[in-house]
Amino acid sequence: MVLAKKWIYAKAFSGLPTAENFRLEEETVAAIKDNEFLAEAVFLSVDPYMRPYMLQYPVGSVMIGGQIAKVLESKHPKYPVGSFVCGNFGWRTHTVCNPDEGELKPYVLPDFGKEPLSLGLGVLGMPGNTAYFGFLEICKPVVGETVVVSGAAGAVGSLVGQIAKIKGCQVIGIAGTDEKCEWLKSIGFDHTINYKTADIGEELKKAAPKGVDCYFDNVGGKITEIVCGQMNVFGRISVCGTISNYNSEAAKVTDPQRDYVWKQLKQEGFLVYRWKARYMEGIEQNLKWIQEGKLKYHETVTEGFENMPDGFIGMLTGGNTGKAVIKV
């Protein structure tokens, strides 16, 4: 008999999540059937998307999210005992899964070589593919262009900036502390702006006197309004997220639509699973860039499954640099 722990969405979010929104429960895991496997969580992910997405789920649901888990028992030939899988199992320690059911199938992690398994939730997982496909497929950067990344010190933004450098662009990162800005410079960003202390518009003019060609937007709100005002004609904007208003009751963003018309900008939002048929392409390319020393990563690790809400809330308030991960 296996006893699983799980975090329940106990109270609907209103503003920034608090401890009252979560409840820790236990349950006995059923014996596996044919074509199923039992997996035990090793690393769990906390990501910004969880805040708005959970509003679609009823109170009492298990919190959503991805994890790296070890297969303990298996009656499925493609998921052998001892293998490590990446799956959207939610905030739970043990999961019985039939991988042949559902649209987003778990997958056995490829060989990361000397790199840690936790990267399967970051640069070698969903955030890495979000940066890889979301930037390259939508912005289509050209050598010599200027790229701005908001939320630049996060799991996705930090990778977008480095991929832009690999593609020969000048990169400007916007982040929320001087420490994060210094880290971004250490991994190759040409310029950084601390949005909490600087005049973003003035600093952006200095860093990009000829304007901005590509903008990878993780935050929305006032920052995006300012960047759009300095986009070049035929600029491209990839909209990954709007974290600035995730904890608001209603978004209060000035409409920048005139810039889209007069400058003939192209803006496109996306979900990374648009490219699910090419998923391993992104993982393999990002791993190759890591091994070549072209792509660097950072993880902010919270120890203990019991501390998942703390790690989640800390990530939403900017407490992480790079990917936020929970280690069981």
Side-chain angles (χ1 to χ4, degrees), residues 103-259:
E103 185 177 355
L104 299 177
K105 301 181 186 302
Y107 57 89
V108 176
L109 291 183
D111 183 7
F112 290 170
K114 298 180 180 179
E115 305 301 330
L117 288 173
S118 56
L119 297 193
L121 296 175
V123 61
L124 300 179
M126 183 272 289
N129 275 351
T130 298
Y132 178 81
F133 291 111
F135 177 58
L136 295 179
E137 295 290 324
I138 293 177
C139 286
K140 299 187 182 303
V142 176
V143 173
E145 288 191 322
T146 296
V147 175
V148 172
V149 185
S150 59
V156 175
S158 59
L159 302 177
V160 170
Q162 293 181 81
I163 293 172
K165 290 300 298 180
I166 290 171
K167 296 300 180 179
C169 298
Q170 173 178 266
V171 183
I172 302 164
I174 303 175
T177 68
D178 289 340
E179 292 76 14
K180 289 181 179 181
C181 287
E182 287 303 314
W183 177 64
L184 292 173
K185 290 178 181 177
S186 76
I187 61 173
F189 280 64
D190 297 290
H191 303 279
T192 58
I193 300 171
N194 183 340
Y195 71 86
K196 292 182 178 179
T197 60
D199 183 319
I200 302 171
E202 289 303 313
E203 292 300 315
L204 190 55
K205 288 177 183 177
K206 294 176 185 177
K210 296 182 179 180
V212 176
D213 301 295
C214 300
Y215 174 41
F216 194 93
D217 185 10
N218 285 304
V219 303
K222 187 66 175 180
I223 291 175
T224 292
E225 181 186 350
I226 293 170
V227 176
C228 286
Q230 299 192 35
M231 295 289 294
N232 288 328
V233 175
F234 301 125
R236 290 88 68 203
I237 303 170
S238 178
V239 183
C240 178
T242 58
I243 194 172
S244 68
N245 58 53
Y246 283 174
N247 296 312
S248 301
E249 295 306 313
K252 297 179 180 179
V253 182
T254 303
D255 186 358
Q257 287 301 102
R258 282 181 297 177
D259 286 316

